[in-house]
Amino acid sequence: MSKNVTPYKDSELGKKEQVTEMFDKVSSNYDFLNRVLTFGIDISWRKHVVELVKAGKAQKVMDIATGTGDLAIMLAKAGIDDVTGLDISPGMLDIGKQKVKDEGLHDRIDMIIGDSEKLPFEDETFDAITVAFGVRNFENLELGLKEILRVLKPGGSLSVLETSQPSKFPVKQGFQFYSKYIIPTVGKLFSKDKKAYDYLPESAAAFPFGETFNNILLKTGFNSSKVYPQTLGVATIYHAIK
């Protein structure tokens, strides 16, 4: 990442600990705000990720930074019988576990606490790995990607969904205004953590999106990677093969 963006600039904690604290605080209304702030379009983005995973005929999948489990649940509903949802935030996982239980998917989805930079799995464990709006929260991006590569089987895929920065007028200017003013304002109205919704757009703006991130994936050791811009470039899906 071009610069180290953290949720609490006056904190002495590392980014990993700050991100954990932030998501624990916002977990109770995270799903609601996510739907409101993306106008629900994030659901269609996740569906595209599921389609990519299904096209690769993956049977054993891990969703990193699973949060409250939206993508893990979608993967299981799409017919994948062995899904692991991993997150560093106990608060987000608690909500995710309840959602999995409510959906009757506890036999297909295992929700566990874990660190993306120290994955608790053997080499070549998973057919596919997904990360939705999570890689920009990695404390060490390269280390996290190398860990993902390690636990992927040869020929396995990594699908990353992340926000990006539109480049064309007037979408660029509209998105910048929305990120700088609307997201923090709405977040502060409804969130228990007033700083979280300053951090989220700030970290998105600092993320090396597009071909820059694609090149990082290739440099990390993936054999190929494709870029799929979403909704006029406000988000991007990266699909890399080991």
Side-chain angles (χ1 to χ4, degrees):
M1 194 173 287
S2 57
K3 64 177 180 177
N4 187 25
V5 179
T6 58
Y8 311 111
K9 295 176 176 58
D10 56 348
S11 174
E12 296 182 359
L13 296 174
K15 179 173 181 176
K16 195 175 301 181
E17 290 77 16
Q18 290 189 42
V19 167
T20 302
E21 179 183 345
M22 180 193 73
F23 279 113
D24 280 347
K25 288 180 178 178
V26 303
S27 58
S28 62
N29 56 10
Y30 179 80
D31 283 348
F32 165 74
L33 281 172
N34 207 25
R35 296 294 98 79
V36 169
L37 292 171
T38 67
F39 304 101
I41 302 173
D42 63 298
I43 296 174
S44 67
W45 299 338
R46 287 182 171 87
K47 286 180 179 178
H48 291 164
V49 172
V50 173
E51 290 168 1
L52 288 169
V53 173
K54 287 284 290 180
K57 302 187 185 304
Q59 297 298 316
K60 188 177 180 64
V61 180
M62 174 165 58
D63 182 40
I64 293 177
T66 195
T68 63
D70 278 354
L71 185 50
I73 289 170
M74 291 176 72
L75 288 163
K77 285 185 173 181
I80 298 172
D81 290 332
D82 191 343
V83 179
T84 298
L86 179 141
D87 202 278
I88 200 170
S89 165
M92 297 286 273
L93 276 176
D94 285 346
I95 293 173
K97 288 176 181 177
Q98 186 60 51
K99 287 166 66 175
V100 168
K101 182 179 179 182
D102 291 344
E103 293 284 353
L105 294 170
H106 54 278
D107 58 334
R108 289 189 176 190
I109 303 175
D110 186 21
M111 300 286 279
I112 66 171
I113 193 162
D115 183 348
S116 60
E117 297 169 21
K118 297 178 182 178
L119 294 172
F121 299 101
E122 299 293 328
D123 295 356
E124 301 180 3
T125 297
F126 296 95
D127 300 312
I129 292 175
T130 60
V131 191
F133 307 113
V135 290
R136 72 176 186 263
N137 296 320
F138 288 5
E139 186 165 47
N140 186 317
L141 179 59
E142 184 176 352
L143 180 58
L145 293 176
K146 285 182 177 179
E147 269 291 271
I148 289 171
L149 192 68
R150 178 183 68 79
V151 301
L152 269 177
K153 296 177 182 178
S157 68
L158 166 64
S159 298
V160 173
L161 168 60
E162 191 54 83
T163 53
S164 48
Q165 304 297 307
S167 59
K168 295 183 178 180
F169 176 87
V171 180
K172 176 181 178 180
Q173 287 73 17
F175 184 76
Q176 288 176 342
F177 178 85
Y178 186 76
S179 298
K180 185 174 182 179
Y181 298 105
I182 305 301
I183 291 178
T185 299
V186 175
K188 288 171 184 177
L189 284 174
F190 294 99
S191 176
K192 295 179 180 178
D193 188 338
K194 306 306 180 185
K195 295 183 179 180
Y197 289 86
D198 287 323
Y199 163 76
L200 292 174
E202 185 180 353
S203 63
F207 184 73
F209 67 96
E211 289 299 332
T212 302
F213 181 63
N214 208 48
N215 290 335
I216 292 172
L217 290 168
L218 296 173
K219 182 181 178 181
T220 300
F222 286 92
N223 290 319
S224 65
S225 183
K226 293 183 178 180
V227 179
Y228 301 97
Q230 306 291 305
T231 315
L232 302 175
V234 302
T236 303
I237 295 173
Y238 308 86
H239 189 64
I241 305 297
K242 178 176 178 179

